[in-house]
Amino acid sequence: SVVRQPGCAAAPPHLQYLLEPLHAAVHTQRGATATLPCVLRALPRNYRVKWSKVEPANYRESIIIITNGLYHKNYGPLSPRVRLRHSHRYDASLTITDVALEDEGRYRCQLVNGLEDESVSLTLHLEGVVFPYQPSNGRYKFNYHEAKRACEQQDSRLATYQQLYKAWTEGLDWCNAGWILDGTVHYPIINSREPCGGRLLLPGVRTYGARDKQKDRFDAFCFTSALQGSVYFIRGHLNFKEAGQACRNHGAAIAKVGQLYSAWKFSQLDRCDGGWLADGSVRYPITTPRERCGGLPDPGVRSFGFPSKELRTYGTYCFAGK
C-alpha cells in the first residue's frame, strides 16, 4: 500500500483575455447557490465563452453553457439550474442554483477566439461528511456499481479522493477498504495498528489503486452534504416496520444513513438513543461524547449494526423534507 498526497498543479499559461481567478476553489453546500467566477479583461471580436465540467471518471468534458456575449445556450443535465451571472459586460461567471452532490468537481471556462483559445479552471467544493458504508450481510460485498448505488440510496454519493483525504485529516480512521468515485479503493488510517497493515506503516490514506469494477468487492465511502429538511427522533419500543409507520404518521419518512450523518454534522444532532434507519440499521449520533453514550472519546455516528427487524427495542429517526 502507498500513501498518496494531493498533487500540485502546473503553472497556467499566460492569459491574454481572461482574468486569473483570485481563488481556484469555490466552497458551497448542497441546496445553496454558487458562482464560479470567469471575467474577461477585454472583449475580443467574434469570441465565444464555453463552460464545461471535467469528469475525472471518464476524462471527458461535458459542455454546460456557450455564450457569445449576446446569446447563450445551455446543455446537459445541469441546464435547468445554470445561468450566466452577467453582472457587467465583461462577466461570464457561471451561477449554479440548488447545488446537488454530483455538482462537486472541476469546471473550465474557455474563451474561444479564432485560433487563440485560453481557459481557467475552478473547483467546486461541497462542505460535507464522508462515512464508510457496508450492507447488512457484512463487509466487502459491493462491486463498484453496487457501492455507487448503495451510497445513492442513502442520500449520498461515492466520495472523491479529495473528500476522503479531507475526512482523514479531520479524524476518519477506518480499517476496511472501500470504493471511491473514480473506481479506486482506499482506507484512511490515523492510528497504525496490527489488523490495519501493521504498526510500522505511517498514518495516511492507504490505497489499493484501481480495481476491477465488476469482480472486486469492498465497502463504500459515501459523501453527503447539508440537508434540505430535518432529522428528529421518536421514542418507543418499535420494530422496523412500526418505526417506518411512526415516521409516516408524522408526515415524515424513516431517515436514511446519509441524512443522519448530515444532521449530526450540520445540525449537531446529539442523542444517546439507538434508532432505526431506512436500511434496517440502528444508529445514534453523538456530538458531545460522554461516558454513558458508548464511552468512545470522539464524536461520531455510532452503530448497533443490523439487528433483527422484528426486535421491538428501538426508537426511530425520521426525516422531514422542507
Side-chain angles (χ1 to χ4, degrees):
S1 295
V2 296
V3 177
R4 209 166 80 179
Q5 303 286 348
C8 299
H14 178 69
L15 296 172
Q16 189 181 347
Y17 291 107
L18 293 176
L19 287 173
E20 187 66 45
L22 279 174
H23 303 287
V26 173
H27 294 266
T28 187
Q29 290 181 356
R30 175 164 56 175
T33 296
T35 297
L36 297 165
C38 185
V39 177
L40 285 71
R41 56 161 64 101
L43 297 178
R45 291 181 59 191
N46 305 324
Y47 76 96
R48 283 178 306 147
V49 169
K50 178 174 85 173
W51 273 101
S52 54
K53 184 164 189 239
V54 183
E55 304 291 357
N58 49 16
Y59 305 104
R60 291 217 342 259
E61 288 200 16
S62 326
I63 296 173
I64 300 168
I65 202 165
I66 295 178
T67 180
N68 63 1
L70 296 171
Y71 308 103
H72 68 269
K73 185 161 189 229
N74 292 19
Y75 297 87
L78 265 173
S79 185
R81 295 190 288 114
V82 293
R83 57 183 164 79
L84 292 166
R85 181 173 63 180
H86 224 66
S87 56
H88 52 80
R89 58 197 285 250
Y90 297 103
D91 185 13
S93 303
L94 182 75
T95 295
I96 305 172
T97 57
D98 195 17
V99 168
L101 292 177
E102 58 270 18
D103 297 343
E104 167 109 20
R106 204 152 67 85
Y107 291 77
R108 203 152 81 104
C109 175
Q110 183 180 15
L111 176 82
V112 183
N113 172 34
L115 298 172
E116 292 184 88
D117 286 9
E118 56 186 59
S119 65
V120 293
S121 279
L122 296 134
T123 304
L124 187 66
H125 280 303
L126 268 71
E127 299 297 332
V129 57
V130 171
F131 60 95
Y133 189 74
Q134 54 183 227
S136 57
N137 56 345
R139 70 174 208 157
Y140 294 179
K141 300 294 183 190
F142 294 136
N143 70 20
Y144 172 80
H145 307 287
E146 290 160 348
K148 190 167 181 285
R149 198 157 53 243
C151 288
E152 286 161 6
Q153 285 166 351
Q154 296 311 316
D155 191 48
S156 57
R157 74 189 293 236
L158 277 175
T160 64
Y161 181 79
Q162 284 73 18
Q163 287 163 347
L164 183 63
Y165 187 91
K166 183 170 185 282
W168 168 71
T169 67
E170 291 168 356
L172 183 60
D173 180 76
W174 197 254
C175 209
N176 295 347
W179 293 102
I180 62 170
L181 189 61
D182 64 5
T184 57
V185 173
H186 309 265
Y187 63 103
I189 292 294
I190 287 172
N191 304 307
S192 297
R193 50 203 186 272
E194 274 317 317
C196 307
R199 293 175 193 278
L200 298 177
L201 273 182
L202 289 173
V205 178
R206 310 259 172 86
T207 177
Y208 287 12
R211 290 297 166 124
D212 187 311
K213 289 183 178 178
Q214 296 288 354
K215 291 183 191 156
D216 287 331
R217 295 189 173 271
F218 296 96
D219 292 346
F221 286 106
C222 304
F223 171 84
T224 192
S225 184
L227 279 178
Q228 305 294 278
S230 59
V231 172
Y232 60 92
F233 182 74
I234 295 180
R235 263 181 205 292
H237 294 285
L238 309 167
N239 64 28
F240 178 68
K241 196 173 172 185
E242 290 164 344
Q245 191 56 55
C247 291
R248 286 193 293 278
N249 291 347
H250 282 73
I254 188 165
K256 297 174 176 180
V257 178
Q259 290 165 340
L260 187 67
Y261 269 93
S262 182
W264 166 74
K265 171 87 173 177
F266 290 100
S267 309
Q268 284 69 57
L269 187 62
D270 182 277
R271 282 216 71 115
C272 216
D273 309 274
W276 291 104
L277 295 176
D279 66 342
S281 65
V282 170
R283 304 174 197 245
Y284 61 103
I286 297 293
T287 47
T288 309
R290 45 213 185 270
E291 204 46 55
R292 294 181 55 194
C293 295
L296 292 170
D298 300 315
V301 174
R302 317 272 195 253
S303 174
F304 287 132
F306 294 84
S308 159
K309 288 186 174 179
E310 312 308 315
L311 280 177
R312 301 179 65 170
T313 42
Y314 302 104
T316 182
Y317 288 96
C318 305
F319 171 72
K322 275 186 182 158

